Amino acid sequence: MTLAMGVPPREPVRAWGRVPEELSARIPVEQRGPGLDRDAVRLLVSRGTEVSHHAFVELPRLLRAGDLLVVNTSPTLAAAVDGRVGHARVVVHFSTRGDDGRWAVELREPDGKGTTRARTGGSAGTEARLPGGVRLVLEEPLSACGERLWWARVSGAEVLGMLREHGRPIRYSYTERDQPLSVYQTVFALPSADGAGSAEMPSAARPFTARLVAELVSRGVQFAPITLHAGVASAEVHEPPYPERFSVPEASARLINAVRAGDGRVVAVGTTAVRAVESATGADGVVRAREGWSDLVVTPERGVRVVDGLLTGLHEPEASHLLMLEAIAGRAAVDRSYEEALRGLYLWHEFGDVHLILPAEAPHAVDCSSNCW
């Protein structure tokens, strides 16, 4: 199966400008001081253009009984592995396994600091040698829009086994050091029957702990598991997401529909959860069990049919994910919340703080049947 990306939507200019480098979260919050757990991050909450500041541990009281959190159960793979193209060292990021057995990959260069940078060049027939006698050959670009990601044929070993033995989590230059794979697993991650997973962590769920999940359940908040195996993000170009494998099970579809029929709110945990649920929703607004490939790119023009709110990390001003946020909350609300995040020195990226987008509160009606002049 060959998957191709469409023409990227044009990014509007962001009024709030660039994110200072010092606002990148360089290590996980639990490593920043004694006694800290994953839920010790900050939580920015926006309801329309109204913004408030909280700790993530306050989430249970910010939601209400009957609300539903849609969570991604995809585990994170150790998707980066060292290799060589000729005499040159490369790092291969394994992204997505196609139906035909090929893998979508990105070849990057070591930057001498323990991370990588974009690699120029690359053409069909380029061969990379990987550990254990594995050979990878680039066959064709994943997208007609660029040559960052390639479909590659791998021989000599099974890829997932090689990654388990020789791989490490994908890491970008804003982080301080390598971390064990366990740091990149969320509390919702479940092993896949076929060993598949996400090339990069579905990071919006990272702050959840078992204790916090238990408190949410005790307060009447429900959970609907879905799966979307996230591919390699673009650290430099910020392309829209390309097709990714997803599954919305029957039980979760029924639960989402039931909540929508009542007075609860459907809040997606992460942009991956939005993509999966909206891909399983018909034009009639009904969610149905579905699995396969999603090529959906959620934009303000397309809008959302099911999701009322979103819990997500903070995104760079060039990130296509911001179009999804605008589809849910509107441009003015997104700009206002990001201005507040910058002013409040919130931390960005997968180890950073999080943003909860909820529907704007409707003004309370005034009963004028008596005592109104």
Side-chain angles (χ1 to χ4, degrees):
M1 177 179 184
T2 298
L3 305 176
M5 291 164 52
V7 176
R10 191 171 71 176
E11 272 296 308
V13 176
R14 305 289 171 187
W16 41 275
R18 74 174 188 88
V19 179
E21 186 176 340
E22 59 268 23
L23 295 186
S24 294
R26 299 181 63 79
I27 58 174
V29 63
E30 64 271 23
Q31 298 177 14
R32 296 177 204 158
L36 297 179
D37 206 341
R38 289 183 175 211
D39 55 14
V41 296
R42 299 170 68 192
L43 177 64
L44 183 78
V45 179
S46 57
R47 299 177 177 88
T49 55
E50 293 186 8
V51 178
S52 56
H53 304 273
H54 302 269
F56 188 76
V57 292
E58 297 177 65
L59 181 65
R61 71 175 182 82
L62 294 167
L63 299 176
R64 58 195 187 208
D67 284 346
L68 176 69
L69 292 175
V70 181
V71 297
N72 189 357
T73 64
S74 178
T76 306
L77 301 176
V81 64
D82 294 322
R84 287 188 177 273
V85 173
H87 296 292
R89 295 175 57 217
V90 296
V91 177
V92 181
H93 288 177
F94 281 85
S95 182
T96 303
R97 182 172 57 187
D99 292 337
D100 60 2
R102 296 186 300 174
W103 280 80
V105 301
E106 179 182 13
L107 270 60
R108 295 178 67 87
E109 292 181 352
D111 63 1
K113 304 173 184 177
T115 54
T116 62
R117 55 177 170 252
R119 182 176 185 270
T120 58
S123 58
T126 297
E127 178 180 322
R129 301 187 309 281
L130 305 179
V134 176
R135 193 170 70 100
L136 177 150
V137 179
L138 303 184
E139 292 192 348
E140 61 178 322
L142 185 68
S143 167
C145 299
E147 296 186 349
R148 182 178 70 89
L149 290 158
W150 285 75
W151 283 115
R153 189 76 61 181
V154 182
S155 60
E158 194 269 328
V159 170
L160 292 172
M162 178 195 65
L163 294 180
R164 284 191 293 271
E165 185 174 353
H166 300 287
R168 61 185 180 276
I170 289 174
R171 175 190 158 207
Y172 292 115
S173 59
Y174 50 77
T175 56
E176 186 173 291
R177 56 180 177 267
D178 285 346
Q179 299 284 349
L181 185 59
S182 60
V183 166
Y184 292 88
Q185 303 294 3
T186 75
V187 71
F188 304 111
L190 295 172
S192 300
D194 61 356
S198 290
E200 297 185 12
M201 173 177 55
S203 56
R206 190 182 190 279
F208 284 88
T209 61
R211 178 185 63 248
L212 190 67
V213 170
E215 183 179 352
L216 286 162
V217 171
S218 73
R219 288 174 175 260
V221 175
Q222 303 178 84
F223 290 83
I226 58 87
T227 302
L228 185 140
H229 297 314
V232 171
S234 168
E236 291 86 18
V237 186
H238 297 290
E239 306 128 332
Y242 51 84
E244 295 165 319
R245 193 184 297 276
F246 80 102
S247 173
V248 175
E250 178 69 31
S252 293
R254 288 177 180 271
L255 185 53
I256 294 167
N257 291 329
V259 168
R260 286 187 56 77
D263 59 359
R265 299 170 295 185
V266 177
V267 179
V269 178
T271 58
T272 59
V274 176
R275 195 181 203 199
V277 169
E278 293 290 327
S279 296
T281 304
D284 56 2
V286 176
V287 182
R288 296 174 175 85
R290 187 179 172 194
E291 61 181 28
W293 293 91
S294 173
D295 60 0
L296 176 65
V297 178
V298 177
T299 65
E301 293 73 25
R302 189 269 184 191
V304 289
R305 296 169 177 167
V306 169
V307 173
D308 299 305
L310 172 64
L311 181 71
T312 183
L314 294 165
H315 305 284
E316 298 282 356
E318 306 89 356
S320 61
H321 292 311
L322 288 171
L323 295 174
M324 180 185 289
L325 272 62
E326 290 181 17
I328 296 169
R331 176 67 184 269
V334 172
D335 284 348
R336 173 84 176 101
S337 59
Y338 272 73
E339 289 166 0
E340 281 294 305
L342 287 168
R343 187 177 295 113
L345 302 181
Y346 279 70
L347 295 180
W348 259 249
H349 303 303
E350 64 266 31
F351 298 141
D353 299 315
V354 282
H355 178 199
L356 175 63
I357 299 171
L358 292 173
E361 297 288 347
H364 296 291
V366 178
D367 182 4
C368 287
S369 58
S370 61
N371 299 325
C372 288
W373 298 92

